[in-house]
Amino acid sequence: MDYEVIFCIVNAGYSELVMDAAKEVGARGGTVMHAKGTANKEAEQFFKITIQPDKEVVMILVPKDIKDAVLHAVYKSAGLKSEGSGIAFSMPVNQVVGLSPVTLDNGSDK
């Protein structure tokens, strides 16, 4: 199976909103890192937003076939025009190890 990693950079405190939206369309989980933004006043004027320096970076590994749905869901819930003021992008993943298969409702693995 092919995978992509989605990075979503949002204002501090909005990572749970991102993960809730991603899980609604099939993502299983993610990793949150705390970060500090370095944008300048020109960027604030260009995007017509106030940039909060404290950020959270949410990394979500997803099967390639749901990448577009996850990107759309997280942008809809926490995009630039929301309080989360987030951006999201994806990158291809060449190899993945350590993932367990999805468990079906009857408890058997497939």
Side-chain angles (χ1 to χ4, degrees), residues 13-24:
Y14 289 89
S15 59
E16 191 170 322
L17 184 67
V18 169
M19 281 311 311
D20 288 347
K23 286 179 178 179
E24 282 183 23

Side-chain angles (χ1 to χ4, degrees), residues 1-61:
M1 180 179 287
D2 291 331
Y3 289 90
E4 298 247 348
V5 62
I6 295 173
F7 292 90
C8 189
I9 304 167
V10 293
N11 287 336
Y14 289 89
S15 59
E16 191 170 322
L17 184 67
V18 169
M19 281 311 311
D20 288 347
K23 286 179 178 179
E24 282 183 23
V25 293
R28 294 174 62 192
T31 299
V32 178
M33 297 184 300
H34 298 283
K36 185 169 284 256
T38 61
N40 57 28
K41 289 293 179 192
E42 290 82 20
E44 287 184 340
Q45 291 172 347
F46 179 77
F47 290 114
K48 296 183 171 86
I49 59 172
T50 300
I51 297 177
Q52 175 184 339
D54 292 324
K55 302 289 182 189
E56 292 174 335
V57 179
V58 184
M59 296 184 304
I60 309 166
L61 185 66

Side-chain angles (χ1 to χ4, degrees), residues 49 87 102:
I49 59 172
I87 64 166
V102 176

Side-chain angles (χ1 to χ4, degrees), residues 4 6 25 62-75 90:
E4 298 247 348
I6 295 173
V25 293
V62 296
K64 190 174 184 175
D65 62 342
I66 68 167
K67 173 200 61 160
D68 289 340
V70 174
L71 277 171
H72 180 74
V74 299
Y75 189 75
S90 68

Side-chain angles (χ1 to χ4, degrees), residues 21 27 29 55 61 87 91 97 99 104 108:
K55 302 289 182 189
L61 185 66
I87 64 166
M91 296 178 67
V97 295
L99 289 182
L104 301 175
S108 65

